[in-house]
Amino acid sequence: MRIVLVGPPGAGKGTQAAYLAEKLSIPHISTGDLFRANISQGTSLGKQAQEYMRAGQLVPDEVTVAMAEDRLNQPDAQRGFLLDGFPRNQFQAEALDSYLTDRAQSLDAVLDLEVPESEVIKRIAGRRTCRNDSSHTFHVEYKPPKAEGVCDSCGGELYQREDDSEETVRKRLEVYHRETEPIIDYYKAKGLVVTISALGKVAEVTQRAMDALGAKAA
């Protein structure tokens, strides 16, 4: 299957993408991974992206699209893929359509993970990260540490990253509503969108998604 995954920040796209890609035996292709791979490999696209990122600017659509197309040309993506974070706006969505049309291919589904804005803020603003090791993460409500403010794994101090502050989350939501949400209507007009609730346990959301994609493929 060829799938695009959309949803607001905090919807659990990365987590669900990894599980779904494994279950469907297709590669999980995320924008973040594309940037990191191109930068670490020193590709011309990676060098361009790094210049913009160092300047605190968004990577231009043309560079992002070129990275995505290069990745989609690789052998493991020929039988399907799951895109996470791409397309980010209508320009990128139209570029993806053109790319697929040129190869006599098309998307099978656009999976929309729906979650209330209040839950998004609670999920992200409640995150706490260990100062000693950023891979040690907790949540004040959903995964609290045994001792408040102390990492269970190493005893390091837990803190709220600036990116996880409520103010930053609200700004990220504004960007999502302005730039990414419109592509849902774009894909709805093509009959591709399946919307599921992203509330509940991870396994429950994954099963919901599999059922929805199965119905779409039937």
Side-chain angles (χ1 to χ4, degrees), residues 178-197:
R178 183 175 67 250
E179 296 188 10
T180 304
E181 204 168 45
I183 72 171
I184 297 175
D185 287 336
Y186 172 80
Y187 284 125
K188 277 182 178 176
K190 298 174 179 290
L192 290 170
V193 176
V194 286
T195 301
I196 65 162
S197 169

Side-chain angles (χ1 to χ4, degrees), residues 1-171:
M1 292 188 78
R2 298 181 183 91
I3 304 165
V4 165
L5 188 63
V6 296
K13 293 188 297 297
T15 300
Q16 290 303 323
Y19 281 112
L20 292 170
E22 182 178 3
K23 286 180 176 292
L24 295 167
S25 299
I26 54 178
H28 166 208
I29 301 171
S30 77
T31 308
D33 288 344
L34 289 178
F35 289 162
R36 283 187 288 273
N38 277 272
I39 290 171
S40 67
Q41 292 165 18
T43 68
S44 60
L45 289 170
K47 290 174 182 176
Q48 291 179 58
Q50 195 166 37
E51 285 182 15
Y52 287 99
M53 292 165 75
R54 281 176 175 165
Q57 299 173 356
L58 282 176
V59 177
D61 286 334
E62 292 81 0
V63 176
T64 304
V65 167
M67 284 186 185
E69 290 181 351
D70 180 65
R71 178 66 182 85
L72 292 174
N73 283 334
Q74 295 179 22
D76 67 334
Q78 300 312 299
R79 293 191 305 111
F81 51 76
L82 194 156
L83 291 170
D84 164 20
F86 178 88
R88 186 176 61 84
N89 54 39
Q90 188 153 326
F91 177 92
Q92 294 181 8
E94 291 172 354
L96 175 61
D97 279 351
S98 296
Y99 170 88
L100 293 173
T101 299
D102 288 348
R103 288 155 182 77
Q105 298 174 350
S106 61
L107 290 175
D108 294 299
V110 174
L111 182 62
D112 174 26
L113 298 183
E114 194 172 63
V115 58
E117 199 159 294
S118 59
E119 176 65 16
V120 167
I121 293 169
K122 184 191 294 185
R123 286 182 181 185
I124 299 178
R127 289 177 185 164
R128 297 295 182 268
T129 304
C130 177
R131 288 195 186 276
N132 294 342
D133 187 335
S134 61
S135 69
H136 299 162
T137 57
F138 299 83
H139 192 281
V140 295
E141 183 174 339
Y142 302 133
K143 187 188 173 185
K146 294 173 183 175
E148 186 176 350
V150 180
C151 176
D152 290 354
S153 301
C154 69
E157 178 195 358
L158 298 181
Y159 75 108
Q160 183 187 55
R161 298 187 314 155
E162 186 177 344
D163 284 353
D164 294 340
S165 71
E166 183 171 336
E167 181 183 2
T168 302
V169 176
R170 289 190 183 279
K171 288 179 180 176

